[in-house]
Amino acid sequence: MWSGSCHRGILNIRRKFRANLDEWEAGERMEYQFQTGTLLLLIAAVVAMLTRRLKLPYSVGLVVAGILLAVLPFAPNIQLTKDLIFTALLPPLLFDAAYYIDWNQLRRDFSVVVVLATLGVIFSATITAAGMHFLAKWQWMSALVFGALISATDPVSVIATFKEAKARGRLLVLIEAESLFNDGTAAVAFGIVVALASGQHLTSLGISAMLAKTILGGILCGALVALAALLLAGRTDDHLVEITVTTVAAYGSFLLADHFGLSGVLATITAGLVIGNFKALKTISERGKEAVQAFWEYAAFVANSLVFLLIGMNAARQNFSAIWIPAILAIVLVTLGRAMAIYPCCLLFSRSSLRVTGKQQLVLFWGGLRGALALALALGLPPTLPLREEIITVSFSVVAFSVFVQGLTMVPFLRGMGEI
């Protein structure tokens, strides 16, 4: 009896010790994450000052800083994951971009944007997938997955680059809106291809139902969350509460849609469009508008900084020498796919009032940057997918080309086109 009580006492002591150890380790991890976040923000601030002085794109400076940081012995070990990008960094960037899009301007070119964001993505994905299959000798399923995830331009890279270049007018609306909406198409197409790769049997009717549910459901979810946020904001003139409400709308719309298997990307974009364009309701006070704009400008700066720093840090750990031939092929095919996404689609409007000029088409083509979204989808691929690691490394190669080649040449390119 005494030995049984002693044994139970020892077990209780062990459990308490284990619980205390787990609590201590959790505290250590939290402290490490806080220190790492502070370090990255400090680096981002220094890079911002240096790039403005050197007149270089901010995104390029951040990626370079991330690469240099990764090779240092005290470099923080932060893995770029799908969950980190999707649930932490992407919603504020999508919401901030959509918040500033004027609906009246978007409405005039909405049909052009929709065609580019749907047919354009399909053309781009098809060309890339076919090229990777026939030229790089990838099996069809891996090639299709890669084509789907890399086909859409990345709003983070595109909007950051064009805002820095001070692009304006119709071109800015087209490039920003297309980069936002084609994400929804690419994410849905990617989900269907991955489902097929995982062995799920989908009929044409099932695919159509999934498309309708994901796209329309995401838009409806974003609109409902935004309207609820506006109604709540209308009950106060406290600018801090109004900032909080918009924050909940940005993240809440994404997480709620994602929970129900809808498009979180389209939900957050819709929420940003609704809240940013329902100014006539006067639900947000004048002081609140200034505070909300300042807050989201800063939130986008922080998220942008972390995205590009982490891209650089994780790119430095990739073994590009092992896949340089597929990487070069992918860069060529993605560039060709972008051309096919722009020129045939714009040709449809050549005889209408929505005609896109040759210069604008050229800017849309070269401005099709890839970035965090493609990497998030690649990093979230199931472990059983053939060539998974190769797809991830090739995706990093395409993103590196976008950042360094397209990013560095964008301002001179726009200046040469007379767009800035």
Side-chain angles (χ1 to χ4, degrees):
M1 183 175 178
W2 179 85
S3 61
S5 300
C6 183
H7 181 65
R8 284 193 297 271
I10 292 173
L11 288 177
N12 287 333
I13 290 172
R14 284 181 176 175
R15 279 194 291 267
K16 288 180 181 179
F17 177 76
R18 184 71 256 177
N20 290 334
L21 184 60
D22 290 342
E23 186 177 342
W24 178 80
E25 288 177 347
E28 286 287 305
R29 284 195 299 270
M30 186 177 295
E31 182 181 356
Y32 173 77
Q33 291 167 356
F34 181 79
Q35 291 172 349
T36 301
T38 304
L39 173 63
L40 293 180
L41 288 178
L42 175 61
I43 292 171
V46 173
V47 169
M49 292 187 289
L50 288 174
T51 52
R52 288 195 178 105
R53 180 161 297 190
L54 297 172
K55 295 183 179 179
L56 292 172
Y58 177 51
S59 55
V60 174
L62 285 169
V63 173
V64 171
I67 292 171
L68 294 175
L69 182 61
V71 300
L72 296 176
F74 56 84
N77 184 23
I78 303 178
Q79 296 298 320
L80 196 64
T81 64
K82 180 183 178 182
D83 288 339
L84 176 61
I85 296 174
F86 264 63
T87 61
L89 301 176
L90 201 56
L93 292 166
L94 295 174
F95 184 88
D96 175 70
Y99 182 84
Y100 289 103
I101 291 180
D102 185 274
W103 173 248
N104 291 323
Q105 290 183 328
L106 176 60
R107 184 174 55 187
R108 285 194 291 270
D109 284 305
F110 191 69
S111 55
V112 179
V113 171
V114 169
V115 169
L116 290 173
T118 52
L119 282 180
V121 170
I122 293 170
F123 289 162
S124 178
T126 302
I127 288 172
T128 304
M132 295 305 289
H133 173 70
F134 291 110
L135 300 177
K137 305 303 180 184
W138 283 10
Q139 53 188 280
W140 267 118
M141 197 52 67
S142 299
L144 286 170
V145 167
F146 177 72
L149 71 87
I150 207 71
S151 59
T153 57
D154 183 64
V156 181
S157 301
V158 170
I159 292 169
T161 301
F162 276 76
K163 279 188 175 179
E164 278 188 77
K166 294 182 172 58
R168 58 189 182 275
R170 186 193 185 203
L171 177 64
L172 185 60
V173 174
L174 284 174
I175 196 78
E176 285 192 351
E178 187 229 352
S179 69
L180 285 169
F181 285 104
N182 67 17
D183 281 355
T185 306
V188 172
F190 174 80
I192 292 171
V193 173
V194 170
L196 292 171
S198 301
Q200 295 184 33
H201 178 68
L202 293 175
T203 63
S204 56
L205 183 62
I207 291 174
S208 300
M210 182 184 291
L211 283 170
K213 174 192 169 186
T214 308
I215 295 173
L216 297 178
I219 293 171
L220 180 62
C221 180
L224 290 175
V225 171
L227 291 173
L230 287 171
L231 289 173
L232 187 60
R235 295 181 173 274
T236 180
D237 58 359
D238 187 331
H239 66 285
L240 296 177
V241 174
E242 290 169 329
I243 290 173
T244 304
V245 168
T246 59
T247 306
V248 171
Y251 281 99
S253 57
F254 191 99
L255 295 173
L256 184 64
D258 189 61
H259 176 74
F260 289 106
L262 312 175
S263 174
V265 171
L266 287 176
T268 300
I269 292 169
T270 304
L273 278 171
V274 171
I275 293 176
N277 284 276
F278 271 44
K279 298 181 178 69
L281 295 178
K282 298 186 183 296
T283 52
I284 298 179
S285 64
E286 290 302 319
R287 186 186 179 193
K289 287 177 185 176
E290 295 177 6
V292 165
Q293 289 175 0
F295 170 79
W296 282 108
E297 185 178 1
Y298 175 69
F301 169 77
V302 171
N304 242 331
S305 302
L306 294 177
V307 163
F308 286 112
L309 277 172
L310 291 174
I311 286 175
M313 292 170 64
N314 284 265
R317 303 186 184 112
Q318 302 298 315
N319 183 16
F320 294 110
S321 61
I323 52 88
W324 66 273
I325 293 178
I328 292 173
L329 280 173
I331 290 168
V332 172
L333 289 167
V334 168
T335 305
L336 178 62
R338 178 63 179 172
M340 290 301 296
I342 296 299
Y343 291 104
C345 290
C346 289
L347 187 63
L348 298 174
F349 301 94
S350 60
R351 297 184 180 275
S352 72
S353 60
L354 297 176
R355 177 178 173 270
V356 182
T357 67
K359 285 185 178 181
Q360 290 172 337
Q361 291 181 51
L362 193 56
V363 174
L364 285 168
F365 157 68
W366 193 241
L369 283 73
R370 270 67 176 182
L373 180 75
L375 295 181
L377 295 175
L379 292 165
L381 288 172
T384 55
L385 182 74
L387 300 177
R388 178 183 183 273
E389 296 304 318
E390 195 164 353
I391 290 172
I392 292 173
T393 308
V394 170
S395 298
F396 269 102
S397 302
V398 175
V399 171
F401 175 84
S402 284
V403 171
F404 290 110
V405 178
Q406 293 173 279
L408 281 172
T409 57
M410 189 55 63
V411 173
F413 186 77
L414 289 172
R415 192 174 290 121
M417 292 290 103
E419 295 294 341
I420 58 173

